[in-house]
């Protein structure tokens, strides 16, 4: 693989990961954190979802800019490999 192909794969893989996490949160996943070891847990799901959606949009813009001929390719991998 050449450097451009490696960069494309890197961006697309990160985009898949971020979108999958957004799907998890949108589907009812919850993230709670505590400010300290003995502190109460606070729900940060909405803020985390917003941050990851923004990251996905930025990755899509970057990929579109760097790889305009491949920018519209589906970022979802097929569930089964084709052997």
């Amino acid at each position: 693989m050449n450097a451009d192909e490696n960069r494309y794969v890197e961006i697309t893989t990160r985009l898949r990961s971020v979108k999958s996490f957004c799907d998890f949160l949108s589907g009812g996943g919850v993230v709670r954190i505590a400010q300290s070891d003995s502190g109460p847990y606070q729900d940060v799901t909405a803020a985390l979802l917003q941050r990851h959606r923004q990251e996905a949009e930025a990755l899509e813009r970057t990929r579109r800019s760097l790889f305009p001929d491949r920018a519209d390719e589906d970022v979802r991998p097929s569930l089964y490999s084709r052997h």
Side-chain angles (χ1 to χ4, degrees):
M1 255 191 254
N2 64 29
D4 284 342
E5 184 67 21
N6 287 339
R7 182 71 175 139
Y8 177 81
V9 169
E10 176 187 351
I11 292 170
T12 301
T13 301
R14 179 66 186 152
L15 184 56
R16 286 178 182 156
S17 174
V18 169
K19 285 190 170 216
S20 291
F21 189 61
C22 288
D23 289 346
F24 165 73
L25 295 177
S26 296
V30 178
V31 178
R32 293 183 182 103
I33 62 169
Q35 296 298 323
S36 64
D37 288 342
S38 60
Y41 285 96
Q42 297 175 338
D43 188 341
V44 295
T45 305
L48 205 53
L49 179 57
Q50 179 62 29
R51 189 177 328 148
H52 278 77
R53 282 182 176 161
Q54 290 172 348
E55 181 180 355
E57 290 170 4
L59 287 166
E60 287 172 337
R61 281 191 304 272
T62 300
R63 191 171 77 156
R64 209 174 299 122
S65 172
L66 295 175
F67 306 99
D69 57 323
R70 298 169 68 183
D72 293 330
E73 289 182 8
D74 186 16
V75 298
R76 298 272 180 222
S78 63
L79 292 176
Y80 305 99
S81 62
R82 297 177 184 160
H83 292 326

